[in-house]
Amino acid sequence: MQATIVEAVNDALHTEMAADDDVIVFGEDVAESGGVFRATDELLEDYGETRVVDTPLSEIAIVGAATGLAMYGLRPVAEIQFSGFLPPAFDQLVTNASRIRWRTRGELTAPIVVRMPYGAGVRALEHHSESMEGAYAHIPGLKVVAPSTPHDTKGLLLASIRDPDPVLFMEPKRIYRSFREEVPEEDYEVPLGEAAVRREGEDVTVISWGSMMPATLEAVDELDADAEVIDIRTISPLDTETIAESVKKTGRAVVVHEGARSNGVGGDIVARINDEALMYLEAPVERVTGFDTPVPLLSMEDYYFPHSPRILDAIENALSA
Amino acid sequence: MTENEPTDHPANAAVSAGEPRFLTQDDLTVDTHQIVEPDGSYDADDVPDLDAEQFRDLYRWMLTDRVFSRRMVSIQRRGELGTFGSTRGQEASIIGSAYHLQPEDWLYVGRAWTPMFMRGVPMKDMILFWRGIEEGQQSFAEHNSQIAISIGSHLPLVAGLAWGMDLSGDDAIATAYLGDGATSTGAAHEAINFAGALGVPALFFCQNNQYAISLSADEQTGANTLAQKALAYGMDAIRVDGQDVLAVYEAVEEARERVREGEPVFVESVTYRLDAHTTSDDPTRYRSDEEVDAWEENDPLERYREFLKAEGLWADVDHDAIVDEIEAEFDAALDAANEFAEREIVEIFAHVYEEMPPELQRQYEEFVDLLDRRPELYDYIEQRPKG
């Protein structure tokens, strides 16, 4: 079937709820209204009100209770309505969800999935536009996933729900509905922890994920050189090997992400390239990122996240250095 | 008495033997304060002591709230605003509660803007705010007002503002507007408990408008009322009919007296959100037309009009002229907002820190340089499809 990213989310949830009675979906407005982005549409009708639950407006309880449910053997898929609302529940991710396995020496685990739309560019209000994967990827024991295509979305979400560890599943809402592609009707997984090579090339490695992939590919299309494009897909744990192998081949690299630059994921990727491929580098690794500012309100938010001309400029810079 | 002996806390005062007795919600009777009944009838002895001008003023502000909501929804539909949340139906609750605010009081609201107009915030700045232009909020701050978007996140702040007033010995209060949904957040519990424990001049004005996006108030909590939640935190509460502007006025007047003495108060105002949660929301997915119609019948402006007629005050109110004046004020505000100068890139970087750190300065200069070298970036951004 041809599907958008948000339709792929919905399809994965239907697929796994049909396959596994332990999967329950909950969060604010997920049941009766089908989610503010319709990601959970028709789940209530198909699986009933004990498995698809509208919760009170309680991010701490949503993530904390998911952890408790998972410790008890269920497979909770919780929705946080917008990325800017996750910080209250940061405590539950840090204090509990990410540490249950470690704390109990493997006796108990917390295989939860917390889904949330993230990123700027949809003219939303304050606290609706954050890309804070760097903060979440900094939590040991938590996996952080950010798909960029409908096909990957379904496969990664199915893998996340089945994963034995807690997963934060960050959905790129700016491109929720911007394109369709073929998504298999059947059950399949895209494994966590494996990057995808979206384009093969020899001259420069461009690394990106989630909401920034379309702009990255657009920039590469404009480029008068042969770029290799890597879609990280899983931000933590990061697939260092795919990145390092590519940089060893091209000798140049650019990292593109939407979140603020300082202490962001890009810095860590540059460090890993230094660890694994420093002697192959022919130029410093470029970073194209959001600025170290709050995401501006809607009148200026489009200037915040990198667009393809900015990415193109950085790639050309890396190539000319 | 040594420190280890039990105190004479009231909880320890009475003991009982035999079967343990449940403490239940039914032990508590929570009345809803009302002055004017839905059909417009009232007992003249219960009417607050206001003069004719004040009675008419309440009506005027309620109408301001309604007209502003209508005009904002209308320009949002034309693509001139981002997401907007109307307050239609909640005018009595909003105006009755705000009528007591003093300029030195602090006000932290969700979507109750007319109280901000009542203390001098220009309509223009509210339009700028909903257009996502940060500068609108500067005048909010000048008038001790703020809008909170992340639900419940402002409540601990309000406890802190009130604490500051207490420490400074100032004769002012901090008022937080919140909704039924906010009472489920962790921040609300901590804030209300904190204010109760410290005994600070905070007023928590909760508009129970029956829905938090799609979730109805009775699914939001197992408690019979929201007002009773205050008791657990050592705070007194009033439940009031939020469609009755005089009842809200009187309830908050009394609450304010108590708050000024350092006893925080929680007010539950029972009202209804007639429009959608926001312009992005489709309420037909989760509520029935019959329900909405019943609340349309319970219109707070209609009810207050009946009161004004009975008091012989309505003859002096030129409803259409007031609407025209508010429309004209809105038109002028919209013109002023439309004339707001083209914005500069530096505004993204301004006010993050008092002094821009070197790395941020570098990011700014790089971006300006890029825009100089690649002016097509402006077109690229301006032409990007807007979500």
Side-chain angles (χ1 to χ4, degrees), chain A residues 13-53:
Chain A
L13 293 172
H14 275 280
T15 300
E16 196 59 1
M17 289 198 82
D20 181 352
D21 289 342
D22 287 336
V23 174
I24 70 168
V25 168
F26 56 93
E28 292 154 24
D29 306 294
V30 299
E32 202 166 357
S33 86
V36 294
F37 290 100
R38 305 274 97 86
T40 53
D41 217 13
E42 303 288 324
L43 291 175
L44 176 66
E45 289 78 354
D46 288 1
Y47 303 105
E49 60 187 18
T50 58
R51 293 182 63 200
V52 185
V53 181

Side-chain angles (χ1 to χ4, degrees), chain B residues 246-363:
Chain B
L246 296 179
V248 179
Y249 171 88
E250 186 176 55
V252 175
E253 181 182 39
E254 302 235 338
R256 191 174 194 282
E257 280 312 301
R258 203 168 288 210
V259 170
R260 282 180 62 203
E261 288 160 15
E263 296 288 334
V265 175
F266 184 97
V267 178
E268 177 187 2
S269 177
V270 183
T271 179
Y272 194 78
R273 186 195 81 210
L274 279 174
D275 286 344
H277 163 69
T278 67
T279 45
S280 310
D281 171 43
D282 173 13
T284 62
R285 294 178 73 100
Y286 54 80
R287 67 183 189 186
S288 68
D289 291 344
E290 292 74 28
E291 179 188 302
V292 178
D293 290 345
W295 281 92
E296 292 267 12
E297 290 291 309
N298 191 7
D299 186 308
L301 275 95
E302 298 280 352
R303 193 191 304 189
Y304 191 51
R305 270 198 283 268
E306 292 307 309
F307 168 83
L308 292 174
K309 284 175 190 167
E311 289 286 307
L313 294 165
W314 183 247
D316 299 335
V317 177
D318 189 339
H319 171 90
D320 293 343
I322 298 173
V323 171
D324 287 347
E325 280 175 38
I326 300 164
E327 297 271 11
E329 186 184 355
F330 189 91
D331 289 338
L334 187 57
D335 286 346
N338 288 341
E339 283 166 20
F340 189 76
E342 273 294 306
R343 309 195 62 212
E344 302 284 339
I345 298 302
V346 70
E347 291 169 33
I348 295 175
F349 299 85
H351 304 297
V352 183
Y353 301 97
E354 182 167 315
E355 194 173 333
M356 200 183 287
E359 167 59 22
L360 193 54
Q361 182 73 34
R362 202 163 68 88
Q363 290 178 18

Side-chain angles (χ1 to χ4, degrees), chain B residues 132-191:
Chain B
I133 294 172
E134 285 82 355
E135 277 70 4
Q137 294 169 109
Q138 189 173 341
S139 79
F140 300 177
E142 286 165 3
H143 292 280
N144 295 340
S145 305
Q146 294 281 286
I147 289 184
I149 297 294
S150 181
I151 303 299
S153 62
H154 58 311
L155 301 178
L157 260 165
V158 168
L161 288 165
W163 192 8
M165 290 167 178
D166 189 43
L167 292 173
S168 309
D170 292 336
D171 183 23
I173 71 166
T175 301
Y177 282 58
L178 60 147
D180 38 302
T183 64
S184 298
T185 65
H189 291 266
E190 297 199 18

Side-chain angles (χ1 to χ4, degrees), chain A residues 180-195:
Chain A
R180 289 174 189 275
E181 70 176 13
E182 184 59 27
V183 172
E185 306 247 358
E186 64 267 21
D187 184 338
Y188 64 94
E189 290 185 30
V190 172
L192 304 191
E194 289 184 18

Side-chain angles (χ1 to χ4, degrees), chain B residues 192-220:
Chain B
I192 297 169
N193 185 66
F194 209 77
L198 294 178
V200 296
L203 174 64
F204 296 94
F205 185 76
C206 176
Q207 295 194 82
N208 179 356
N209 72 0
Q210 313 302 324
Y211 284 93
I213 307 190
S214 73
L215 197 73
S216 64
D218 61 345
E219 292 171 295
Q220 189 70 243

